[in-house]
Amino acid sequence: MRRTPASPIIRRQTSFGSRLLRAVVLIALWGFIALVVVTNLGFSLGWYNDTLVSLYLLFNLKAHANSAFLLLALVLLIVVPLYCTWRWLHLRKGVRA
């Protein structure tokens, strides 16, 4: 008999409340990111109005923040795949046991 490789998929169903909370958090985070990007773009393109100035001051954006965001993005590009690989191997090991 041929042994098929086990799939490391978790079959437990997540509750509706948990999924809703995750969706709200993700939408809020992406909304915040979009707001910061629009504010930076607005200032870069010379769109000056009271709202953009207020957001710029609220977020305390600075010219050197772009390099910090780039460094954060690079760190995340390295850390996230490493974590995903570790998690995948951990799940596969749990399925084999």
Side-chain angles (χ1 to χ4, degrees), residues 27-72:
I27 289 170
L29 287 173
W30 279 110
F32 177 75
I33 297 289
L35 195 58
V36 169
V37 168
V38 166
T39 303
N40 270 332
L41 276 175
F43 265 84
S44 298
L45 297 175
W47 302 337
Y48 298 108
N49 62 24
D50 292 340
T51 305
L52 280 178
V53 171
S54 299
L55 287 174
Y56 201 82
L57 292 173
L58 176 68
F59 296 145
N60 197 16
L61 298 175
K62 297 179 182 159
H64 66 82
N66 290 337
S67 61
F69 286 137
L70 181 61
L71 180 62
L72 176 64

Side-chain angles (χ1 to χ4, degrees), residues 2-97:
R2 189 176 199 185
R3 184 175 171 186
T4 60
S7 176
I9 297 174
I10 298 173
R11 304 227 187 282
R12 185 179 63 87
Q13 193 68 291
T14 308
S15 71
F16 178 74
S18 178
R19 285 185 287 170
L20 184 64
L21 179 65
R22 288 178 189 167
V24 168
V25 168
L26 283 174
I27 289 170
L29 287 173
W30 279 110
F32 177 75
I33 297 289
L35 195 58
V36 169
V37 168
V38 166
T39 303
N40 270 332
L41 276 175
F43 265 84
S44 298
L45 297 175
W47 302 337
Y48 298 108
N49 62 24
D50 292 340
T51 305
L52 280 178
V53 171
S54 299
L55 287 174
Y56 201 82
L57 292 173
L58 176 68
F59 296 145
N60 197 16
L61 298 175
K62 297 179 182 159
H64 66 82
N66 290 337
S67 61
F69 286 137
L70 181 61
L71 180 62
L72 176 64
L74 290 175
V75 167
L76 287 175
L77 280 173
I78 294 169
V79 170
V80 169
L82 289 175
Y83 174 75
C84 291
T85 303
W86 174 80
R87 186 72 180 141
W88 177 268
L89 293 173
H90 179 72
L91 288 172
R92 286 188 62 128
K93 185 168 59 172
V95 169
R96 286 188 203 146

